[in-house]
Amino acid sequence: MNPRVSVIVPVYNEGAAIVRCMERMLREMLLPAEVLIVHDLPEDTTVAYVAQIARTDPRVRAVHNTYGRGPANAIRFGIDAALAPVAVVTMADGCDDPRQIDELARLVDRGVVVAAASRYMPGGQQVGGPRLKRAMSRWAGRSLYWFARVGTRDATNSFKAYDTAFVREVGIESRTGFEIGLELTAKATRLRLPVAEIPTIWLDRPLGESHFDLGRFLPGYLRWYLFAYGRRLSREKLGARVAPVVAPAAHSPEYEQTA
């Protein structure tokens, strides 16, 4: 059976913690799906546990990212490897609600190119996380919603579904951090393509420690925040402005949590 949704999960040394995350995800998804666990290195501690899960559930497979280390490259690689017309990006740390994967995918089926799980719309909530990061994310989301008309109050959240044809057409320029969600939302806005949202309850990562480096990732977020405010672009103009971006050299892994 061909999958209707490809779930992209970037990982870094999750070890046995991935089992609980996958059990919840596989239990909640009803649409025909594939789950791509994208890792940078063959010796990643997640791989052995994913192999165990894959023996009993063929929807799951580990995928070795060859685009360069880091979550942005893993997400790019996962979307390029996706077989389904819809790709959902979610994290391996348990912060996102797997019950909403199908709901986000169905929004894309209905014609939106980006479907966002929103912490900041009515019915949404963010539980835990660094206070400054929460405040900046909320301010960015609401200002983009009201002034740039991006179609979601939570443009920075990584938990989103995408039309894979749209992503492959506009490309992904981000190479560090998790600003891909904001980049693709901003590009859809400039092209005047539909973006939609559903409320979500985001829980701070219950397992492990986050090393989200706000200072390092902020320039990328700021770039796409400002880009969203521009005039309407045609597909041709958007393609012309995208300069080739070289993948960075190997650096310390960044897979920890969403923005």
Side-chain angles (χ1 to χ4, degrees):
M1 180 182 295
N2 292 328
R4 288 179 57 190
V5 55
S6 296
V7 183
I8 314 300
V9 186
V11 297
Y12 174 71
N13 285 341
E14 303 294 335
I18 195 67
V19 176
R20 182 179 177 186
C21 176
M22 287 297 99
E23 286 176 346
R24 291 181 61 229
M25 185 182 299
L26 295 169
R27 182 175 66 244
E28 300 294 349
M29 291 189 308
L30 300 178
L31 291 175
E34 62 172 355
V35 181
L36 307 182
I37 309 299
V38 188
H39 58 94
D40 287 345
L41 303 171
E43 61 269 24
D44 189 293
T45 61
T46 318
V47 175
Y49 292 95
V50 173
Q52 293 177 14
I53 298 169
R55 281 196 285 269
T56 58
D57 195 317
R59 291 177 291 178
V60 179
R61 59 189 172 106
V63 179
H64 180 203
N65 162 36
T66 60
Y67 283 1
R69 296 178 66 178
N73 288 313
I75 293 169
R76 290 173 53 233
F77 189 91
I79 293 177
D80 282 349
L83 299 177
V86 181
V88 176
V89 176
T90 185
M91 299 297 114
D93 55 17
C95 294
D96 301 325
D97 186 348
R99 295 175 300 176
Q100 297 182 302
I101 291 173
D102 284 1
E103 191 175 0
L104 289 168
R106 288 189 176 102
L107 275 175
V108 177
D109 278 344
R110 291 175 58 191
V112 306
V113 297
V114 179
S118 175
R119 299 163 288 185
Y120 308 133
M121 69 179 293
Q125 187 179 357
Q126 180 169 351
V127 180
R131 183 175 298 179
L132 176 61
K133 184 163 152 290
R134 291 203 323 259
M136 292 179 67
S137 174
R138 182 183 294 271
W139 174 83
R142 289 184 171 178
S143 59
L144 284 169
Y145 178 78
W146 288 110
F147 301 116
R149 305 293 184 182
V150 298
T152 173
R153 298 165 180 84
D154 199 353
T156 64
N157 194 0
S158 293
F159 188 24
K160 289 184 172 71
Y162 305 102
D163 181 318
T164 52
F166 159 74
V167 177
R168 290 165 184 166
E169 179 181 8
V170 302
I172 295 174
E173 299 171 60
S174 301
R175 295 294 184 269
T176 60
F178 295 94
E179 66 265 25
I180 284 175
L182 178 54
E183 173 187 344
L184 293 173
T185 302
K187 286 181 174 179
T189 300
R190 294 289 299 274
L191 291 170
R192 301 298 188 263
L193 295 174
V195 175
E197 64 180 355
I198 60 172
T200 194
I201 297 177
W202 182 94
L203 302 176
D204 192 22
R205 99 180 253 135
L207 300 170
E209 178 184 358
S210 171
H211 299 288
F212 184 90
D213 188 339
L214 181 61
R216 181 181 181 185
F217 298 154
L218 187 59
Y221 283 103
L222 183 59
R223 173 194 179 189
W224 294 112
Y225 176 88
L226 296 173
F227 178 82
Y229 285 92
R231 295 179 179 178
R232 180 173 185 171
L233 283 177
S234 67
R235 284 175 164 83
E236 293 74 20
K237 288 182 179 179
L238 180 61
R241 68 164 297 280
V242 176
V245 180
V246 179
H251 50 73
S252 299
E254 302 157 358
Y255 302 134
E256 299 301 339
Q257 70 177 54
T258 56

